[in-house]
mmCIF file of all heavy atoms in Angstrom:
data_model
loop_
_atom_site.group_PDB
_atom_site.id
_atom_site.type_symbol
_atom_site.label_atom_id
_atom_site.label_comp_id
_atom_site.label_asym_id
_atom_site.label_seq_id
_atom_site.Cartn_x
_atom_site.Cartn_y
_atom_site.Cartn_z
ATOM 1 N N ASP A 1 4.815 37.970 6.741
ATOM 2 C CA ASP A 1 4.491 36.951 7.736
ATOM 3 C C ASP A 1 5.652 35.967 7.784
ATOM 4 O O ASP A 1 5.525 34.807 7.418
ATOM 5 C CB ASP A 1 3.189 36.236 7.328
ATOM 6 C CG ASP A 1 2.680 35.280 8.392
ATOM 7 O OD1 ASP A 1 2.987 35.497 9.586
ATOM 8 O OD2 ASP A 1 2.003 34.305 8.018
ATOM 9 N N PRO A 2 6.818 36.451 8.209
ATOM 10 C CA PRO A 2 8.035 35.654 8.072
ATOM 11 C C PRO A 2 7.977 34.333 8.835
ATOM 12 O O PRO A 2 7.519 34.271 9.979
ATOM 13 C CB PRO A 2 9.127 36.566 8.626
ATOM 14 C CG PRO A 2 8.410 37.568 9.473
ATOM 15 C CD PRO A 2 7.064 37.750 8.850
ATOM 16 N N ALA A 3 8.429 33.309 8.178
ATOM 17 C CA ALA A 3 8.529 31.974 8.777
ATOM 18 C C ALA A 3 9.797 31.324 8.245
ATOM 19 O O ALA A 3 9.748 30.394 7.446
ATOM 20 C CB ALA A 3 7.295 31.151 8.434
ATOM 21 N N PRO A 4 10.952 31.841 8.672
ATOM 22 C CA PRO A 4 12.216 31.329 8.125
ATOM 23 C C PRO A 4 12.432 29.870 8.500
ATOM 24 O O PRO A 4 11.947 29.401 9.539
ATOM 25 C CB PRO A 4 13.269 32.231 8.781
ATOM 26 C CG PRO A 4 12.613 32.749 10.020
ATOM 27 C CD PRO A 4 11.167 32.881 9.691
ATOM 28 N N PRO A 5 13.163 29.152 7.677
ATOM 29 C CA PRO A 5 13.398 27.732 7.949
ATOM 30 C C PRO A 5 14.368 27.491 9.100
ATOM 31 O O PRO A 5 14.445 26.377 9.617
ATOM 32 C CB PRO A 5 13.991 27.214 6.626
ATOM 33 C CG PRO A 5 14.623 28.420 5.996
ATOM 34 C CD PRO A 5 13.746 29.578 6.377
ATOM 35 N N PHE A 6 15.090 28.543 9.491
ATOM 36 C CA PHE A 6 16.077 28.407 10.572
ATOM 37 C C PHE A 6 15.907 29.554 11.566
ATOM 38 O O PHE A 6 15.333 30.592 11.256
ATOM 39 C CB PHE A 6 17.505 28.444 10.011
ATOM 40 C CG PHE A 6 17.710 27.555 8.817
ATOM 41 C CD1 PHE A 6 17.906 28.109 7.560
ATOM 42 C CD2 PHE A 6 17.693 26.185 8.955
ATOM 43 C CE1 PHE A 6 18.098 27.297 6.456
ATOM 44 C CE2 PHE A 6 17.881 25.359 7.846
ATOM 45 C CZ PHE A 6 18.067 25.915 6.597
ATOM 46 N N THR A 7 16.472 29.372 12.749
ATOM 47 C CA THR A 7 16.475 30.433 13.759
ATOM 48 C C THR A 7 17.880 31.004 13.904
ATOM 49 O O THR A 7 18.296 31.392 14.997
ATOM 50 C CB THR A 7 15.980 29.902 15.116
ATOM 51 O OG1 THR A 7 16.822 28.805 15.517
ATOM 52 C CG2 THR A 7 14.540 29.439 15.032
ATOM 53 N N SER A 8 18.589 31.066 12.802
ATOM 54 C CA SER A 8 20.002 31.473 12.847
ATOM 55 C C SER A 8 20.208 32.900 12.361
ATOM 56 O O SER A 8 21.291 33.254 11.905
ATOM 57 C CB SER A 8 20.840 30.516 11.986
ATOM 58 O OG SER A 8 20.325 30.444 10.671
ATOM 59 N N GLY A 9 19.175 33.749 12.483
ATOM 60 C CA GLY A 9 19.270 35.109 11.961
ATOM 61 C C GLY A 9 19.998 36.079 12.850
ATOM 62 O O GLY A 9 20.174 37.248 12.485
ATOM 63 N N HIS A 10 20.436 35.643 14.027
ATOM 64 C CA HIS A 10 21.177 36.506 14.941
ATOM 65 C C HIS A 10 22.204 35.655 15.665
ATOM 66 O O HIS A 10 21.946 34.473 15.946
ATOM 67 C CB HIS A 10 20.225 37.173 15.955
ATOM 68 C CG HIS A 10 20.877 38.244 16.769
ATOM 69 N ND1 HIS A 10 21.591 37.966 17.914
ATOM 70 C CD2 HIS A 10 20.934 39.583 16.592
ATOM 71 C CE1 HIS A 10 22.056 39.100 18.417
ATOM 72 N NE2 HIS A 10 21.675 40.091 17.631
ATOM 73 N N PRO A 11 23.387 36.208 15.972
ATOM 74 C CA PRO A 11 24.426 35.416 16.652
ATOM 75 C C PRO A 11 23.964 34.776 17.949
ATOM 76 O O PRO A 11 24.489 33.732 18.345
ATOM 77 C CB PRO A 11 25.536 36.449 16.914
ATOM 78 C CG PRO A 11 25.333 37.502 15.877
ATOM 79 C CD PRO A 11 23.854 37.582 15.661
ATOM 80 N N ASP A 12 23.008 35.397 18.630
ATOM 81 C CA ASP A 12 22.521 34.825 19.888
ATOM 82 C C ASP A 12 21.817 33.486 19.685
ATOM 83 O O ASP A 12 21.701 32.687 20.618
ATOM 84 C CB ASP A 12 21.553 35.792 20.568
ATOM 85 C CG ASP A 12 22.243 37.010 21.137
ATOM 86 O OD1 ASP A 12 23.488 37.026 21.152
ATOM 87 O OD2 ASP A 12 21.545 37.955 21.560
ATOM 88 N N ARG A 13 21.315 33.260 18.465
ATOM 89 C CA ARG A 13 20.540 32.046 18.207
ATOM 90 C C ARG A 13 21.183 31.106 17.185
ATOM 91 O O ARG A 13 20.783 29.958 17.056
ATOM 92 C CB ARG A 13 19.128 32.427 17.724
ATOM 93 C CG ARG A 13 18.312 33.145 18.804
ATOM 94 C CD ARG A 13 16.970 33.574 18.303
ATOM 95 N NE ARG A 13 17.058 34.636 17.296
ATOM 96 C CZ ARG A 13 17.216 35.923 17.593
ATOM 97 N NH1 ARG A 13 17.306 36.314 18.852
ATOM 98 N NH2 ARG A 13 17.281 36.842 16.633
ATOM 99 N N ALA A 14 22.139 31.608 16.449
ATOM 100 C CA ALA A 14 22.777 30.781 15.422
ATOM 101 C C ALA A 14 23.650 29.697 16.057
ATOM 102 O O ALA A 14 24.317 29.938 17.071
ATOM 103 C CB ALA A 14 23.623 31.656 14.508
ATOM 104 N N PRO A 15 23.654 28.496 15.493
ATOM 105 C CA PRO A 15 24.574 27.456 15.991
ATOM 106 C C PRO A 15 26.018 27.941 15.906
ATOM 107 O O PRO A 15 26.377 28.723 15.017
ATOM 108 C CB PRO A 15 24.329 26.286 15.024
ATOM 109 C CG PRO A 15 22.969 26.531 14.450
ATOM 110 C CD PRO A 15 22.813 28.029 14.383
ATOM 111 N N ALA A 16 26.822 27.481 16.813
ATOM 112 C CA ALA A 16 28.227 27.918 16.863
ATOM 113 C C ALA A 16 28.948 27.630 15.555
ATOM 114 O O ALA A 16 29.773 28.425 15.103
ATOM 115 C CB ALA A 16 28.936 27.224 18.025
ATOM 116 N N SER A 17 28.621 26.519 14.909
ATOM 117 C CA SER A 17 29.291 26.173 13.657
ATOM 118 C C SER A 17 28.944 27.166 12.555
ATOM 119 O O SER A 17 29.798 27.511 11.718
ATOM 120 C CB SER A 17 28.893 24.763 13.214
ATOM 121 O OG SER A 17 27.487 24.663 13.036
ATOM 122 N N VAL A 18 27.715 27.664 12.561
ATOM 123 C CA VAL A 18 27.281 28.650 11.582
ATOM 124 C C VAL A 18 27.950 29.995 11.867
ATOM 125 O O VAL A 18 28.443 30.674 10.957
ATOM 126 C CB VAL A 18 25.743 28.789 11.576
ATOM 127 C CG1 VAL A 18 25.304 29.942 10.674
ATOM 128 C CG2 VAL A 18 25.097 27.486 11.133
ATOM 129 N N ALA A 19 27.957 30.387 13.128
ATOM 130 C CA ALA A 19 28.616 31.643 13.514
ATOM 131 C C ALA A 19 30.087 31.623 13.124
ATOM 132 O O ALA A 19 30.642 32.634 12.676
ATOM 133 C CB ALA A 19 28.454 31.873 15.016
ATOM 134 N N ALA A 20 30.706 30.469 13.258
ATOM 135 C CA ALA A 20 32.128 30.350 12.915
ATOM 136 C C ALA A 20 32.365 30.517 11.416
ATOM 137 O O ALA A 20 33.424 30.980 10.997
ATOM 138 C CB ALA A 20 32.658 28.994 13.377
ATOM 139 N N LEU A 21 31.371 30.166 10.619
ATOM 140 C CA LEU A 21 31.488 30.348 9.171
ATOM 141 C C LEU A 21 31.359 31.819 8.774
ATOM 142 O O LEU A 21 32.041 32.292 7.866
ATOM 143 C CB LEU A 21 30.393 29.550 8.451
ATOM 144 C CG LEU A 21 30.532 28.033 8.389
ATOM 145 C CD1 LEU A 21 29.268 27.430 7.782
ATOM 146 C CD2 LEU A 21 31.744 27.644 7.565
ATOM 147 N N VAL A 22 30.487 32.528 9.471
ATOM 148 C CA VAL A 22 30.152 33.898 9.076
ATOM 149 C C VAL A 22 31.074 34.942 9.698
ATOM 150 O O VAL A 22 31.469 35.909 9.044
ATOM 151 C CB VAL A 22 28.682 34.201 9.434
ATOM 152 C CG1 VAL A 22 28.334 35.658 9.134
ATOM 153 C CG2 VAL A 22 27.749 33.269 8.680
ATOM 154 N N ALA A 23 31.421 34.763 10.957
ATOM 155 C CA ALA A 23 32.161 35.801 11.689
ATOM 156 C C ALA A 23 33.436 36.265 10.985
ATOM 157 O O ALA A 23 33.711 37.478 10.933
ATOM 158 C CB ALA A 23 32.473 35.303 13.099
ATOM 159 N N PRO A 24 34.244 35.372 10.419
ATOM 160 C CA PRO A 24 35.488 35.846 9.782
ATOM 161 C C PRO A 24 35.256 36.790 8.607
ATOM 162 O O PRO A 24 36.140 37.600 8.288
ATOM 163 C CB PRO A 24 36.152 34.538 9.319
ATOM 164 C CG PRO A 24 35.582 33.480 10.194
ATOM 165 C CD PRO A 24 34.176 33.900 10.449
ATOM 166 N N ILE A 25 34.116 36.675 7.967
ATOM 167 C CA ILE A 25 33.817 37.552 6.835
ATOM 168 C C ILE A 25 33.859 39.016 7.253
ATOM 169 O O ILE A 25 34.290 39.900 6.490
ATOM 170 C CB ILE A 25 32.425 37.211 6.255
ATOM 171 C CG1 ILE A 25 32.410 35.788 5.689
ATOM 172 C CG2 ILE A 25 32.001 38.226 5.207
ATOM 173 C CD1 ILE A 25 31.026 35.300 5.297
ATOM 174 N N TYR A 26 33.449 39.261 8.485
ATOM 175 C CA TYR A 26 33.305 40.637 8.939
ATOM 176 C C TYR A 26 34.532 41.180 9.662
ATOM 177 O O TYR A 26 34.605 42.383 9.943
ATOM 178 C CB TYR A 26 32.075 40.767 9.850
ATOM 179 C CG TYR A 26 30.788 40.540 9.106
ATOM 180 C CD1 TYR A 26 30.136 39.312 9.157
ATOM 181 C CD2 TYR A 26 30.229 41.549 8.325
ATOM 182 C CE1 TYR A 26 28.959 39.097 8.456
ATOM 183 C CE2 TYR A 26 29.053 41.356 7.617
ATOM 184 C CZ TYR A 26 28.428 40.119 7.687
ATOM 185 O OH TYR A 26 27.266 39.913 6.983
#
């Protein structure tokens, strides 16, 4: 019954600042 604290589980919904942190890893 997932209820995550954030809606940043997909690039379409993640804040740009969060996406910028993760994208270079890949």
Side-chain angles (χ1 to χ4, degrees):
D1 187 27
F6 313 110
T7 58
S8 55
H10 190 275
D12 289 351
R13 294 177 292 279
S17 59
V18 173
L21 287 173
V22 176
I25 296 171
Y26 293 99

